[in-house]
Amino acid sequence: MIKELIIGYLIVINLIGFALMGIDKSKAKKHAWRIPEKTLFLASLLGGSIGTWAGMYVFRHKTKHWYFVVGMPAILILQIVIWIVGSHL
């Protein structure tokens, strides 16, 4: 039961992260109010790193900012390590 809840949460947060990248790219093109970068990183830190990372490349958004290019995969790697270590406890 708990495993299914975690998987469901991860699916939702990754969809949110992906959508946030797309929405922010759209807003950037229109010179409209933008989603703060800390919000994009927060979505990633909360488990949406795959979605935000995928959104970066699907929407070609934030790919010239080194802290996104390095930060998003770093967060994903850290989350994978935590998952692996946690599953062996």
Side-chain angles (χ1 to χ4, degrees):
M1 175 67 175
I2 205 82
K3 190 174 186 179
E4 291 83 8
L5 287 174
I6 292 170
I7 291 170
Y9 168 78
L10 290 173
I11 290 169
V12 170
I13 194 66
N14 278 283
L15 290 172
I16 289 169
F18 186 82
L20 286 173
M21 292 302 263
I23 291 165
D24 194 49
K25 176 66 175 198
S26 175
K27 288 179 176 280
K29 286 180 176 181
K30 297 174 185 175
H31 303 287
W33 172 86
R34 303 283 301 280
I35 296 171
E37 290 181 346
K38 65 182 177 182
T39 302
L40 301 174
F41 272 102
L42 181 61
S44 185
L45 287 168
L46 292 175
S49 55
I50 293 171
T52 53
W53 192 26
M56 279 177 55
Y57 291 98
V58 168
F59 301 112
R60 295 185 196 153
H61 189 51
K62 302 289 187 185
T63 56
K64 293 183 181 178
H65 298 272
W66 70 267
Y67 44 92
F68 275 88
V69 173
V70 173
M72 293 300 170
I75 292 169
L76 175 58
I77 291 166
L78 179 63
Q79 290 171 339
I80 290 169
V81 168
I82 289 169
W83 181 269
I84 290 169
V85 170
S87 67
H88 285 85
L89 294 180

